[in-house]
C-alpha cells in the first residue's frame, strides 16, 4: 500500500499496522527508513510490525506472505508539508511503481487526511536541513505540536484506502509502463481526497503533486 503524506510523523500509517492486522485479519507490516530502527524512542514504533523500506526487504516480506505499506513521499515529503493545502511530494517519485511492476504485486492507494496538520515544523529556507536529511536518510528539522510540546495537535486524522490497482509482472518494465502505473496511483489518491474532503471538513483544500 502507498499512503501519503509523510508529515512530521505518519500517524495514520503507524496506527494502521496493528489495526489492519487485528480488524481485517491480514498479515500487514509497514516499511520504514533504516534510520528509524536505530533512532532513540521512535524505534519502538517498529515493534508494531516493520521492515526496511528497500526493494529487497519489501520483496522478501511479500514473498513471506505479508502485505506491505509504505509512505512513498518519504523524508523528502516532510519538507513540502503545508497546513493550507495538501501538497504531496510524489510527482516524479516513481520507484514504487517500478517495484510493483517488477514484482507483480498490486498497488493499493491510500491517503492520510489531516496528517499534515498534526504538527508545526520549521526548517531553514536555504534547503540545508533538507539536503542533509536526504543524504543521512534521517529527518533534521524542528517541530512542535500541542502547547508547544512534541505531541500531536488535536486534529482529525483519517486514512482513506482505495481499491487495489492490479499489476501484471514485468521483469524489465519500460518507462511508459512505469509512468502509466504511477499516474494511476496519483489519480486514485486525488479522486479519494476529492470525494471525501467535504465530509472530513477540508473541502476548501486542493491536492497538489510536486
Amino acid at each position: 500500500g502507498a499512503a501519503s503524506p509523510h508529515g512530521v510523523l505518519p500517524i495514520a500509517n503507524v496506527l494502521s499496522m496493528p489495526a489492519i492486522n487485528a480488524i481485517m485479519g491480514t498479515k500487514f507490516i509497514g516499511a520504514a527508513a533504516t534510520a528509524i530502527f536505530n533512532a532513540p524512542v521512535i524505534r519502538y514504533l517498529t515493534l508494531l510490525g516493520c521492515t526496511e523500506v528497500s526493494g529487497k526487504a519489501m520483496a522478501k516480506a511479500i514473498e513471506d506472505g505479508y502485505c506491505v505499506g509504505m509512505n512513498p513521499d518519504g523524508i523528502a515529503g516532510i519538507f513540502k508539508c503545508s497546513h493550507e493545502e495538501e501538497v504531496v511530494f510524489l510527482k516524479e517519485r516513481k520507484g514504487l511503481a517500478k517495484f510493483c511492476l517488477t514484482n507483480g504485486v498490486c498497488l493499493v492507494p491510500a491517503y492520510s487526511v489531516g496528517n499534515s496538520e498534526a504538527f508545526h515544523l520549521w526548517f531553514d529556507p536555504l534547503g540545508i536541513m533538507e539536503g542533509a536529511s536526504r543524504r543521512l536518510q534521517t529527518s533534521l528539522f524542528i517541530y512542535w505540536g500541542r502547547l508547544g510540546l512534541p505531541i500531536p495537535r488535536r486534529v482529525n486524522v483519517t486514512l482513506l484506502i482505495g481499491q487495489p490497482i492490479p499489476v501484471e509482472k514485468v521483469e524489465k518494465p519500460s518507462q511508459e509502463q512505469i509512468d502509466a502505473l504511477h499516474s494511476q496511483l496519483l489519480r486514485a489518491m486525488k479522486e479519494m481526497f476529492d470525494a471525501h474532503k467535504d465530509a472530513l471538513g477540508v473541502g476548501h483544500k486542493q491536492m497538489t503533486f510536486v
Side-chain angles (χ1 to χ4, degrees), residues 111-159:
Y111 193 79
S112 181
V113 181
N115 196 65
S116 298
E117 299 181 38
F119 291 97
H120 292 284
L121 74 157
W122 179 89
F123 50 89
D124 69 283
L126 301 177
I128 296 173
M129 297 169 78
E130 179 179 1
S133 295
R134 292 198 194 188
R135 285 192 294 274
L136 298 173
Q137 287 297 294
T138 190
S139 309
L140 301 175
F141 55 84
I142 298 171
Y143 74 96
W144 65 95
R146 197 186 318 170
L147 303 175
L149 300 173
I151 55 177
R153 296 171 60 234
R154 287 184 179 274
V155 296
N156 292 324
V157 179
T158 303
L159 183 64

Side-chain angles (χ1 to χ4, degrees), residues 37-141:
F37 291 85
N38 300 310
V41 182
I42 200 171
R43 67 184 177 187
Y44 294 109
L45 292 176
T46 63
L47 296 176
L48 296 173
C50 271
T51 187
E52 292 186 8
V53 65
S54 67
K56 184 178 180 179
M58 291 194 297
K60 177 65 167 60
I62 292 169
E63 184 180 331
D64 291 341
Y66 287 93
C67 294
V68 180
M70 54 94 74
N71 194 292
D73 51 333
I75 292 173
I78 299 172
F79 298 91
K80 308 301 179 183
C81 276
S82 168
H83 282 205
E84 290 71 39
E85 301 293 341
E86 295 294 325
V87 181
V88 188
F89 186 61
L90 200 53
K91 189 175 182 179
E92 299 298 332
R93 294 175 70 90
K94 303 176 182 179
L96 181 59
K98 183 177 181 179
F99 172 84
C100 290
L101 284 164
T102 55
N103 288 276
V105 294
C106 66
L107 178 57
V108 180
Y111 193 79
S112 181
V113 181
N115 196 65
S116 298
E117 299 181 38
F119 291 97
H120 292 284
L121 74 157
W122 179 89
F123 50 89
D124 69 283
L126 301 177
I128 296 173
M129 297 169 78
E130 179 179 1
S133 295
R134 292 198 194 188
R135 285 192 294 274
L136 298 173
Q137 287 297 294
T138 190
S139 309
L140 301 175
F141 55 84

